[in-house]
Amino acid sequence: MNFIKNFLKKFTRKKFICPGAFSQVYIYPDGRVFLCPDCMMTKEAELGNLNNNTFDNIYNSKKAITIRKEILKGKYNYCSPQQCFSKSNYNIRLTPFKNIEYKAKQKKYPQMVCIGADAECNVNCIMCRPNISRLNRDELIECNKKINELYLPILKNAKELTLSTTADPFVSRNTRLLMKTAAERYPNLKFNLLTNGILCDKFNCDDTLITDRLSHVMVSIHGGNEETYNRIVKNGNFKRVETNLNWLKSLKEEKKIKGLYLAFVISAKNYNNIPQFIEFAKAHNAVALFWGCFDWGGNLNHSDEPLNILNPNHTKFNNFVNVLNSIELETEYSHFSLPVRMIKKHYSK
């Protein structure tokens, strides 16, 4: 636990602050609202629910004001440092106190909105979900109602909209409609995408009106070759993803998107592929982002072996440490979450 305390101390020691609680919100499919999709996802950090309260009341609720006041004091009691991963939360960076005027009560709506509208996806990654997710007709109708009733008003002050942390934005019928509608309503709005990459091509970006409005794209692949990818991503298509990555690479080289990231959740099924994945990211002018398994709804204790290789009690933990010791973690093309960096620091030879 000491490394967590040290991690939090750096915020105040350098007189820096995390601006997330003052500039963004994350909306979960069931209506729950949080100030950060990375490290404020506990029941204690929940601000309220859009199904039984207004966004105005939630965004400046007693809980929201308390969290912001704590951060202004240099206290991050509502954050989970183990899950803090600022490089995947595109615009959230530690900022000097003097650069921005922070208030516990916000007068304007957030500049960054992250929405997980539903769970529709065309793949089922082994650590995420056991089956492909699809809404039935009634569920889709209810989700579509939220676009005009809930989501669009929240975007009135937004500069960027992030889609989708719980589904694939091009597979989710509701999210596709949300992208089109938001693009038409707010011509200056930029889009960040979290996608498995299979449908992230020019045709679908054109169809949803966001091709020229992209800011950052993160593609979840979890393997730097087809064999590793297929162990993690069920019903995927590595070759198609690679083709689409080449298109995204060209957009980045033409400065039409700011950032391209490749996501890799480290598990017992793919840890040996970490070095190759970094090279794969480099070849596509992308940054490889690594973090450990969390309980997203999949089965972390697979019948053959547990997936959480970051657990020191795992039978292959020493092999994992050897892989970490063979590479440089923080480079231009790679970034590892705090727990992984601390494992290398503690167990390095």
Side-chain angles (χ1 to χ4, degrees):
M1 295 297 291
N2 286 334
F3 76 84
I4 296 176
K5 294 179 181 178
N6 292 334
F7 175 80
L8 294 176
K9 284 181 181 178
K10 76 177 182 180
F11 290 118
T12 53
R13 184 172 64 246
K14 296 183 179 180
K15 297 183 179 180
F16 275 53
I17 187 172
C18 176
F22 305 88
S23 60
Q24 67 171 7
V25 291
Y26 171 48
I27 302 170
Y28 208 66
D30 60 9
R32 289 177 293 158
V33 180
F34 301 86
L35 289 175
C36 179
D38 283 335
C39 62
M40 286 191 192
M41 292 299 295
T42 63
K43 181 65 178 176
E44 292 73 22
E46 182 182 328
L47 305 186
N49 196 303
L50 289 171
N51 290 322
N52 51 41
N53 208 338
T54 67
F55 183 75
D56 289 293
N57 289 337
I58 292 172
Y59 192 50
N60 279 309
S61 64
K62 183 178 179 180
K63 176 63 66 67
I65 290 174
T66 297
I67 292 174
R68 295 189 191 108
K69 282 183 176 179
E70 290 288 295
I71 293 175
L72 288 170
K73 296 175 184 177
K75 298 179 181 179
Y76 292 80
N77 299 327
Y78 290 88
C79 299
S80 300
Q82 303 97 318
Q83 294 176 241
C84 183
F85 203 49
S86 61
K87 284 197 177 182
S88 70
N89 196 351
Y90 311 109
N91 289 295
I92 302 305
R93 302 290 186 272
L94 297 187
T95 307
F97 273 107
K98 64 182 181 180
N99 286 8
I100 302 176
E101 184 180 2
Y102 295 99
K103 299 291 184 182
K105 186 173 182 178
Q106 296 291 289
K107 294 182 180 179
K108 295 182 179 181
Y109 275 21
Q111 294 183 355
M112 287 167 281
V113 178
C114 180
I115 297 176
D118 58 61
E120 286 198 321
C121 193
N122 54 341
V123 302
N124 49 308
C125 300
I126 61 173
M127 64 283 181
C128 183
R129 63 192 73 189
N131 301 298
I132 290 176
S133 179
R134 197 72 170 165
L135 298 178
N136 61 40
R137 181 177 178 275
D138 291 339
E139 290 171 334
L140 180 60
I141 291 173
E142 286 302 309
C143 282
N144 287 346
K145 286 181 181 179
K146 294 179 181 179
I147 293 176
N148 288 300
E149 294 176 1
L150 295 179
Y151 300 145
L152 290 182
I154 295 171
L155 295 172
K156 66 182 181 181
N157 193 49
K159 294 181 178 179
E160 297 194 5
L161 171 61
T162 299
L163 300 164
S164 163
T165 57
T166 55
D168 185 90
F170 297 106
V171 176
S172 166
R173 293 162 290 175
N174 174 253
T175 304
R176 290 183 75 106
L177 180 59
L178 174 57
M179 282 192 282
K180 282 186 178 182
T181 311
E184 292 172 339
R185 175 78 64 88
Y186 302 108
N188 295 320
L189 184 67
K190 296 290 186 179
F191 292 83
N192 300 317
L193 300 180
L194 308 179
T195 172
N196 60 47
I198 296 174
L199 296 180
C200 188
D201 53 26
K202 187 177 187 304
F203 174 84
N204 284 297
C205 286
D206 285 348
D207 182 63
T208 51
L209 309 179
I210 65 169
T211 302
D212 298 323
R213 310 271 291 276
L214 291 173
S215 182
H216 298 79
V217 180
M218 182 191 294
V219 183
S220 296
I221 308 179
H222 315 298
N225 57 43
E226 189 167 13
E227 179 184 359
T228 304
Y229 171 87
N230 287 338
R231 285 203 297 268
I232 308 298
V233 183
K234 303 303 179 183
N235 300 294
N237 188 328
F238 185 81
K239 289 183 174 60
R240 187 167 180 179
V241 172
E242 195 166 18
T243 297
N244 293 339
L245 282 177
N246 289 329
W247 176 66
L248 292 169
K249 175 185 176 182
S250 69
L251 292 185
K252 186 178 179 184
E253 290 173 344
E254 295 168 8
K255 301 188 184 304
K256 292 182 179 179
I257 61 174
K258 293 181 181 178
L260 178 59
Y261 306 91
L262 305 187
F264 187 109
V265 174
I266 303 170
S267 73
K269 302 290 187 182
N270 63 359
Y271 72 93
N272 274 324
N273 193 241
I274 290 175
Q276 184 176 353
F277 192 77
I278 295 173
E279 293 303 312
F280 182 81
K282 185 176 180 180
H284 291 88
N285 196 18
V287 178
L289 302 178
F290 297 89
W291 57 89
C293 287
F294 296 101
D295 187 3
W296 291 302
N299 180 16
L300 297 187
N301 294 310
H302 278 227
S303 57
D304 53 345
E305 62 178 342
L307 291 181
N308 187 13
I309 195 74
L310 274 65
N311 184 346
N313 294 321
H314 197 288
T315 57
K316 294 181 179 178
F317 179 76
N318 290 336
N319 295 338
F320 169 56
V321 172
N322 289 337
V323 172
L324 294 184
N325 287 333
S326 70
I327 60 175
E328 183 180 355
L329 298 193
E330 298 299 297
T331 72
E332 180 183 357
Y333 295 100
S334 63
H335 176 71
F336 288 76
S337 64
L338 177 66
V340 181
R341 301 199 306 270
M342 295 309 299
I343 285 173
K344 180 171 181 176
K345 181 178 179 180
H346 184 73
Y347 291 94
S348 62
K349 298 178 181 178

